[in-house]
């Protein structure tokens, strides 16, 4: 048989929540419960304050530096690469894009290497299309009203940004452990927020539960 591949452990408390939900739905005892108990004993990073991290401060308080890349230059860089991705071409046709890029805070996300931006934009639009399909299957409104959308391990949040525009009535949450990001674009969107969260911490399950609180449907992408 092939050698065993070591698996990265799942977040302890989040895994426990999933097991409890599965047991409740099926009426059966999950064998993985013993794994979750073991993980809880082994993974205990504790809680740490994140209120002063750069990521939290820039998405809530600090004024953004002016973006040196003009809006038209940002759009031109995307247009030059639209032939490489149908998802990017679809994003370029979005009616909100030009107004979004006119905002310095949003445009900073696009002021990077064009190949990286093309990749991020393509993945973001692909995720938005999947979310659209899921919401439709759940008979949810097309504008996302009543939905909580989670961009898990979001990085700077290109996917979350696109989701916030495509589903303006949804609540969109970025979750990431990185506390050193510049996230002033979060303040440009009224339905977007950032939660600094380590999925391997004991606080992860509570953070995820808070994001989906009172939502009629919750969709997570990016994991």
């Amino acid at each position: 048989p092939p050698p065993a591949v070591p698996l990265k452990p799942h977040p302890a408390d989040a895994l426990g929540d999933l097991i409890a939900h599965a047991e409740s739905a099926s009426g059966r005892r999950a064998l993985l419960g013993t794994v979750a108990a073991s993980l809880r004993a082994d993974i205990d990073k504790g809680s740490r304050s994140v209120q002063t991290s750069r990521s939290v401060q820039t998405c809530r308080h600090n004024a953004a530096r002016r973006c040196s890349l003009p809006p038209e230059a940002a759009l031109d860089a995307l247009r030059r690469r639209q032939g490489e991705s149908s998802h990017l071409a679809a994003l370029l046709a979005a009616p909100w894009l030009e107004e979004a890029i006119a905002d310095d805070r949003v445009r900073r996300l696009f002021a990077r290497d064009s190949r990286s931006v093309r990749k991020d934009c393509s993945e973001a639009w692909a995720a938005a299309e999947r979310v659209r399909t899921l919401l439709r299957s759940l008979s949810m409104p097309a504008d996302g009203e009543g939905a909580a959308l989670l961009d898990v391990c979001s990085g700077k949040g290109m996917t979350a940004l696109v989701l916030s525009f495509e589903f303006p009535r949804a609540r969109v949450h970025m979750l990431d452990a990185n506390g050193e990001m510049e996230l002033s674009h979060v303040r440009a969107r009224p339905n977007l927020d950032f939660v600094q969260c380590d999925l391997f911490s004991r606080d992860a399950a509570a953070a995820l539960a808070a994001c989906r609180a009172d939502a009629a449907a919750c969709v997570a992408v990016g994991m």
Side-chain angles (χ1 to χ4, degrees):
V5 178
L7 298 178
K8 186 176 181 180
H10 288 275
D13 291 288
L15 178 60
D17 276 2
L18 290 173
I19 290 169
H21 176 76
E23 289 179 345
S24 174
S26 66
R28 298 177 180 178
R29 175 70 177 170
L31 295 177
L32 283 178
T34 56
V35 177
S38 174
L39 286 173
R40 287 194 186 93
D42 293 339
I43 303 175
D44 184 7
K45 296 185 178 180
S47 301
R48 60 190 179 95
S49 173
V50 298
Q51 298 307 310
T52 58
S53 75
R54 182 172 183 243
S55 297
V56 171
Q57 290 295 311
T58 55
C59 77
R60 294 182 183 174
H61 307 297
N62 294 355
R65 299 193 305 272
R66 185 172 181 80
C67 180
S68 60
L69 182 70
E72 194 57 35
L75 288 169
D76 283 344
L78 291 176
R79 290 170 183 141
R80 285 195 296 271
R81 290 191 171 273
Q82 66 178 316
E84 301 173 12
S85 166
S86 59
H87 295 307
L88 178 58
L91 175 64
L92 280 164
W96 50 262
L97 183 63
E98 289 193 21
E99 182 178 350
I101 286 184
D103 189 316
D104 273 1
R105 297 168 297 181
V106 172
R107 194 164 67 256
R108 289 175 63 85
L109 268 185
F110 296 84
R112 298 176 288 126
D113 175 75
S114 62
R115 287 173 297 181
S116 297
V117 174
R118 189 267 300 167
K119 175 179 179 293
D120 289 351
C121 288
S122 297
E123 291 175 352
W125 189 263
E129 287 297 306
R130 291 296 296 157
V131 169
R132 198 184 326 277
T133 299
L134 284 168
L135 293 181
R136 188 182 303 120
S137 72
L138 295 169
S139 299
M140 296 291 291
D143 60 6
E145 183 176 5
L149 309 180
L150 280 55
D151 184 4
V152 183
C153 301
S154 63
K156 290 189 175 182
M158 180 70 80
T159 294
L161 181 74
V162 169
L163 292 176
S164 75
F165 280 103
E166 284 295 299
F167 308 101
R169 299 294 298 277
R171 301 198 322 268
V172 183
H173 307 279
M174 295 167 51
L175 298 100
D176 201 281
N178 188 349
E180 298 302 322
M181 297 184 288
E182 208 291 330
L183 300 179
S184 57
H185 57 279
V186 173
R187 288 184 288 114
R189 299 297 301 145
N191 62 333
L192 177 62
D193 66 23
F194 170 75
V195 179
Q196 188 172 330
C197 174
D198 182 350
L199 290 183
F200 289 87
S201 74
R202 296 185 65 181
D203 299 332
L208 292 168
C211 288
R212 68 172 185 259
D214 300 324
C218 179
V219 179
V221 301
M223 294 179 289

